[in-house]
Amino acid sequence: MKLEEGIKRTRLGRVGRALIGIAVSAAFVVLVLRGVDLSEVAYHFSRIDVLPFLPALVSLAALFVLKAFRWQYQMSNITHTPFGLSLKSIFVGFMGNNVLPLRGGDLLRAHFVSRQSTVGTTTAFTAIAVEHVLDVLALVTVGVVALLVTPIPGWFRNPVLILGIALLGVIAATLVWRRAPAFLEKWYERGHARLPGKWLPAKVLSIVAFFLEHVRPGLDTAKGGRRVANQYFLALGVWAINGLMVYFTLLSLGIQLSIPAIMGTSIAQDLAATVPSAPAQVGVFEYAVTVTLEFYQLDKSIALTAAVLLHALYVIPTTVVGLVFMMQQWMAPKVAPEGHKTQG
């Protein structure tokens, strides 16, 4: 009975969070549509220049290729990941974020990696969390540069600073506890071998064992200063390609922004992803980009057109390709990898 009640509460909690996300998205849709003449938006869409839009599609493809290479390099510290699997997992993760609430694509991506390799779901999910930390570091870097070289919209100045402070805290904690896994391992072996159940409670021992076996390998994907630096520069490379995609997408609408303005637009996109909302950040994405482009002196109707077009470029191709890869994986018979999963 208690188990059934727990499952029921968990489901209700998920439904509640999903409804909150939908409500948040609906509120932002109302905000972004306020005072907009939709006929003008339709007019701007009818005048899209296809020629500059093609490089935007190429930039999107290059973005995913670089993300896949980055994931392959990150995972090489604990296992060999074929580039094809790395690319598919990136698409599946994006597809999941586009159709599931609260960034459910990260968990879906971790499970996808687990089914295709000897890496467990928990280890893969931890590695994804490490990847996001480096993404935030790149975001803060670009945000600080934007703050120094040009005025930026006030609405995301504070979030960038808050993320920067939080990131410094994470880095400081990592430096302080950089030897924690080795310490915990020694602690666990002493408690488990000498006085099991007395030196440490069995529950604590099981938690430490879980950390050492499943979480620690994921953290090891960023082990080593040179490796972290390389992953950081790859994250900045992702930002640069994303900037090209933004530039060409806006150019297809006849909008030519300066480099600082493109940086500001890219920052707005990433900050929108941090807001709990409906799948694919519907409404939140449009509002963030529209307000940012208005700050750079664009009319709201064309700013909203650019936001919708940019969002569609992110969502539609990635969702279709990711869905194909996921169906291909789950419909095909599972091939058991050699050996067995040693991590998570």
Side-chain angles (χ1 to χ4, degrees), residues 6-87:
I7 293 173
K8 186 177 181 179
R9 285 196 297 268
T10 301
R11 289 176 178 173
L12 289 174
R14 290 175 180 173
V15 172
R17 289 192 294 269
L19 291 176
I20 291 173
I22 292 172
V24 170
S25 286
F28 276 102
V29 168
V30 171
L31 286 173
V32 78
L33 291 179
R34 187 171 58 184
V36 175
D37 187 345
L38 294 181
S39 63
E40 291 186 10
V41 174
Y43 171 75
H44 292 309
F45 267 114
S46 68
R47 294 179 61 83
I48 292 176
D49 187 353
V50 177
L51 192 59
F53 195 67
L54 294 178
L57 290 172
V58 173
S59 299
L60 178 66
L63 183 72
F64 275 82
V65 168
L66 183 56
K67 279 179 171 288
F69 173 75
R70 176 188 167 194
W71 176 253
Q72 184 185 38
Y73 175 76
Q74 180 181 345
M75 296 299 288
S76 66
N77 215 27
I78 60 173
T79 187
H80 170 69
T81 303
F83 180 79
L85 171 60
S86 179
L87 184 63

Side-chain angles (χ1 to χ4, degrees), residues 18 28 34 45 49 58 84 116 135 139 149 156 169 171 193 201 208 218 238 260 339:
F28 276 102
R34 187 171 58 184
F45 267 114
D49 187 353
V58 173
Q116 287 294 296
D135 285 335
L139 167 64
V149 301
F156 65 67
I171 293 173
V208 174
V238 170

Side-chain angles (χ1 to χ4, degrees), residues 188-258:
Y188 171 76
E189 289 175 354
R190 181 180 299 176
H192 188 69
R194 295 186 180 180
L195 295 169
K198 294 182 180 180
W199 178 268
L200 287 173
K203 190 172 183 179
V204 174
L205 284 173
S206 65
I207 293 173
V208 174
F210 181 85
F211 172 84
L212 293 173
E213 185 178 357
H214 304 312
V215 178
R216 181 183 179 180
L219 297 176
D220 285 345
T221 60
K223 188 175 182 180
R226 179 177 295 181
R227 174 171 290 273
V228 172
N230 290 338
Q231 292 179 51
Y232 166 69
F233 286 120
L234 286 172
L236 288 178
V238 170
W239 263 91
I241 295 177
N242 183 77
L244 282 176
M245 187 175 67
V246 171
Y247 172 78
F248 286 116
T249 302
L250 298 180
L251 193 62
S252 68
L253 290 169
I255 304 170
Q256 192 162 2
L257 294 181
S258 63

Side-chain angles (χ1 to χ4, degrees), residues 279-292:
Q281 290 81 47
V282 174
V284 179
F285 183 99
E286 282 74 16
Y287 179 83
V289 174
T290 299
V291 171
T292 303

